[in-house]
């Protein structure tokens, strides 16, 4: 049976039992800050279990993409070493929201496993929570399981919890024992690869709070989860999940790329790679990217782990990215058919992985040298110190588990405690420096401890509609020259969602206090004001809270423009563009987003033009406040994965141009943004670009700055041109001077023709004028005589003859006649006045002949 058939059979089975088949939630949970990755099918229903949300159905079933690599459910270390744990897997699940309970959950599970799928009953085992007699009885009396195969376990195995906090309850699991010893209860829950859990039925009835206390939920629910890859293996009579159609194409491709077989010591490495590339593909498709923090760092570690295992197979160049197509088109009959998001993001996923592999290979090479040195220079102890692990981690980006793995291969231990101590110190240092940064003149750290929050209601925000509010002082404290004031209601926005806090002032009894910061702690807004003169605030005093209007408008323009930018980027570059960060202040907006290449000038222009066109269209804002999260999702509102969203959310909509989850403040219609201009486009990390832009006043300031730059540049150019002209003149003068210098040798070696001194020679003049200038100079310097200068000018020949006044008079020598005759030798002619005449010729090669002819010409004419 193919994996596709099995998935469909599961869904059909529950559809027939009136379950709504719902799509998998993204593997990156955008609405639950307690989770890095979706780790169970029930995540998307958490709000229903907690009584905070509702659905229009009471029963649901799906296949959920899950990643278990961090927090309470972390299988990373198991992956590859065994054949049935994965970092990414599909969880088949069915749910009841306050509808059916234990009996149906258990009997239907049994029906599917034994009636539909015909799994051998004698190999199946059921476990229940130690005190759950009800579940025990149902197994015993309502199924035909061997009663000796119903076992009780404690919290560790049969009480399921989503995370440190969240919905939870006792569970009942179905295990299968594929070994010959299948009647042995000792093998259940004993980490035996032949006896594994297939399906977990959780009876959700409690909630664990942040203090670890359990509370009853208003209703009881069913949450089941079956390991899809395991069930596919079992139904195909395989002992390993990797021997199914889900993994075989991947292993075959890895074998082909590495030229090694899936056998012996290669197996674990190949399994790790096959597993991890699925995780990377799905996580990146859903908007995660490898990086340095949180979820991104986990992803980076997974990629590095896979790349490092690749080296075990001599795959030293990037290769993981090549397996993405296999995941999408071949594995599991083409996972892209079941989860179209991976198909739609194919190229982006490959690019992100390739870039990350390339950069890791560089660090890996350098780190490996360091690692080898550490090993070579270590003493007998065979231990890698905490400092060395820290260096490998901090400088070379080696994940700690990678160092452990490499150490293990060499038979070395790793001082993890020492490493953790150094990590702690580093974090401490970072914390100290941020503390210092924010403290400044007014120390706000831990300020909330001075207030009795239990008796202070959460502050209402009225700043969407108003920028001024007359109200009363609800509570305050004053420390040195700083006062901290809480009001029942405030128009002051406090920094969140990337939008900076408002500026402005509080006015009490005619005294104005500048608001230095606006803090929001546990829903209470604290206005931090400068109180130089020690004004004594009193509770109940009337107070005016006034936001600086101009600043707020600048911020609103930039914030609304950010929404237009986000929507436009998706239109111009593609829907792979996802927000990766945003910061909006009065001067500019900064928007980080996933995209692979540098934006071209054309793309930037296109984006700007579209936004400016939209701005001119006067698109109205619709502010949906406090609407259910589900409703917002249905509207197709874009969300930022990093944000936290409660049950009720705010959605900001500009016509059909942009719909986004957002709690920020905005202009009423697009034309109030006035103008949009991108000022910078850069890269912040591999696969993440950053755009900085300005609007309204910022754009005006930008325009003036550019105009000023142009003016200054123009002035500079004019000045440079003037200097250039001067320099050219100097050069020309110098050139002539140097050429005239060349006349000296001609002047020094006259030949005599009938007692007449004849000065002749070849020179290098750039033009006829220059040649004439030289001839003038020659005529002055020679005093008495005949001078002939010949020069190639371009392709032609220039000749000048000069005759001194005495010879014109006494010998009737004429420059025109002389030059005319000489010119004939170079195929030309010319003439001029008696004292100076010029001629041109065509044949440059004849210059020596022409020079040689000078004496005879002078002789013949004298
Ligand atoms: N939430 C339970 C699990 O993850 C059952 O779906 O195992």
């Amino acid at each position: 049976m193919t994996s596709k058939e099995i998935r469909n059979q599961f869904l059909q089975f529950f559809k027939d039992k009136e379950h709504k088949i719902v799509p998998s939630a993204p593997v990156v949970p955008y609405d639950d800050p307690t989770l890095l990755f979706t780790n169970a099918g029930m995540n998307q229903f958490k709000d229903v279990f907690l009584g905070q949300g509702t659905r229009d159905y009471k029963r649901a079933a799906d296949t959920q993409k899950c990643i278990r690599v961090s927090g309470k459910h972390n299988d990373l270390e198991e992956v590859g070493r065994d054949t049935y744990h994965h970092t990414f897997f599909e969880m088949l699940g069915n749910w009841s929201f306050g509808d059916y309970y234990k009996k149906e959950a258990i009997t239907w599970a049994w029906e599917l496993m034994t009636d539909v799928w015909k799994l051998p009953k004698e190999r199946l085992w059921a476990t229940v929570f130690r005190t759950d007699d009800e579940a025990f009885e149902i197994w015993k009396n309502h199924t035909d399981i061997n009663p000796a195969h119903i076992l009780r376990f404690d919290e560790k195995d049969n009480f399921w919890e989503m995370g440190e906090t969240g919905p939870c309850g006792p569970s009942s699991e179905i295990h299968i024992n594929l070994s010959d010893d299948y009647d042995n209860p000792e093998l259940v829950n004993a980490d035996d690869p032949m006896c594994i859990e297939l399906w977990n039925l959780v009876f959700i009835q409690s909630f664990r709070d942040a203090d670890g206390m359990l509370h009853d939920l208003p209703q009881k629910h069913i949450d089941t989860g079956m390991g899809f890859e395991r069930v596919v293996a079992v139904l195909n009579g395989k002992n390993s999940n990797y021997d199914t159609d889900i993994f075989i194409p991947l292993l075959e491709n890895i074998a082909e790329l590495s030229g090694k077989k899936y056998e012996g010591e290669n197996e674990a490495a190949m399994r790790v790679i096959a597993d991890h590339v699925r995780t990377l593909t799905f996580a990146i498709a859903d908007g995660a990217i490898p990086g340095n923090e949180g979820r991104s760092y986990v992803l980076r570690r997974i990629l590095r782990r896979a790349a490092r295992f690749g080296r075990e197979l001599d795959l030293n160049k990037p290769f993981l990215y090549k397996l993405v197509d296999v995941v999408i088109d071949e594995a599991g009959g083409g996972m892209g058919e079941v989860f179209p998001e991976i198909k739609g993001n194919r190229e982006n996923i490959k690019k992100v992985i390739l870039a990350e592999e390339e950069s890791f290979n560089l660090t890996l090479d350098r780190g490996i040298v360091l690692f080898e040195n550490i090993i070579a220079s270590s003493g007998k102890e065979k231990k890698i110190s905490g400092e060395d692990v820290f260096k490998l981690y901090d400088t070379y980006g080696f994940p700690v588990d990678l160092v452990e793995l490499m150490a293990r291969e060499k038979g070395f231990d790793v001082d993890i405690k020492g490493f953790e101590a150094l990590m702690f110190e580093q974090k401490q240092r970072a914390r100290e420096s941020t503390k210092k940064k924010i403290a400044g003149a007014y120390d706000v750290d831990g300020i909330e401890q001075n207030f009795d929050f239990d008796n202070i209601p959460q502050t209402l925000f009225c700043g969407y509609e108003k920028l001024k509010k007359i109200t009363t002082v609800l509570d305050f404290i004053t420390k040195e020259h700083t006062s901290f004031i809480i009001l029942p209601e405030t128009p002051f926005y406090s920094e969140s969602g990337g939008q900076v806090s408002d500026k402005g002032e509080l006015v009490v009894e005619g005294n104005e206090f500048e608001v230095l910061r606006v803090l929001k702690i546990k829903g209470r807004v604290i206005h931090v004001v400068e109180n130089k003169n020690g004004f004594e605030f009193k509770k109940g005093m009337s107070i005016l809270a006034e936001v600086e209007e101009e600043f707020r408008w600048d911020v609103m323009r930039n914030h609304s423009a950010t929404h237009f930018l986000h929507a436009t980027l998706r239109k111009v570059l593609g829907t792979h563009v996802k927000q990766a960060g945003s910061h909006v202040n009065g001067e500019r907006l900064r928007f980080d987003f996933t995209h692979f290449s540098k934006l071209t000038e054309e793309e930037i222009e296109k984006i700007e033009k579209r936004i400016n066109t939209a701005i001119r269209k006067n698109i109205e804002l619709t502010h949906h406040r406090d609407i259910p999260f589900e409703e917002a999702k249905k509207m197709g509102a874009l969300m930022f994965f990093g944000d936290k969203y409660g049950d009720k959310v705010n959605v900001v909509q500009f016509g059909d141009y942009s719909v986004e989850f957002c709690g920020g403040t905005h202009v009423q219609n697009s034309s109030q943004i006035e103008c949009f201009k991108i000022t910078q486009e850069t890269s912040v990390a591999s696969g993440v670009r950053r755009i900085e832009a300005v609007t309204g006043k910022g754009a005006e300031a930008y325009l003036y700055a550019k105009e000023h730059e142009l003016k200054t540049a123009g002035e500079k150019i004019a000045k440079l041109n003037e200097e250039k002209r001067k320099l050219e003149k100097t050069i020309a003068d110098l050139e002539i001077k140097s050429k005239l210098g060349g006349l000296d040798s001609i002047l020094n070696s006259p030949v005599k023709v009938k007692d007449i001194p004849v000065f002749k020679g070849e020179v290098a003049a750039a033009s006829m004028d220059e040649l004439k200038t030289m001839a003038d100079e020659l005529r002055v310097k020679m005093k008495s005589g005949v001078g002939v200068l010949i020069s190639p000018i371009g392709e032609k020949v220039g000749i000048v003859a000069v005759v001194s006044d005495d010879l014109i008079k006494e010998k009737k020598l004429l420059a025109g006649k002389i030059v005319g005759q000489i010119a004939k030798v170079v195929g030309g002619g010319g003439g001029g006045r008696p004292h100076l005449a010029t001629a041109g010729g065509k044949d440059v090669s004849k210059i020596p002949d022409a020079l040689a002819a000078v004496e005879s010409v002078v002789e013949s004419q004298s």
Side-chain angles (χ1 to χ4, degrees), residues 39-42 68 73 91 95 160 197 200-202 223-226:
N39 67 6
M42 52 72 69
R68 286 194 171 177
H73 301 282
M91 186 183 282
W95 292 275
W160 195 85
E197 173 204 337
N200 187 13
L201 319 175
V202 185
D223 154 38
T224 91
M226 170 160 33

Side-chain angles (χ1 to χ4, degrees), residues 560-576:
S560 301
T562 306
H563 287 212
F564 278 90
L565 174 62
H566 191 182
T568 311
L569 287 169
R570 289 170 65 86
K571 279 178 201 146
V572 173
L573 305 176
T575 49
H576 62 276

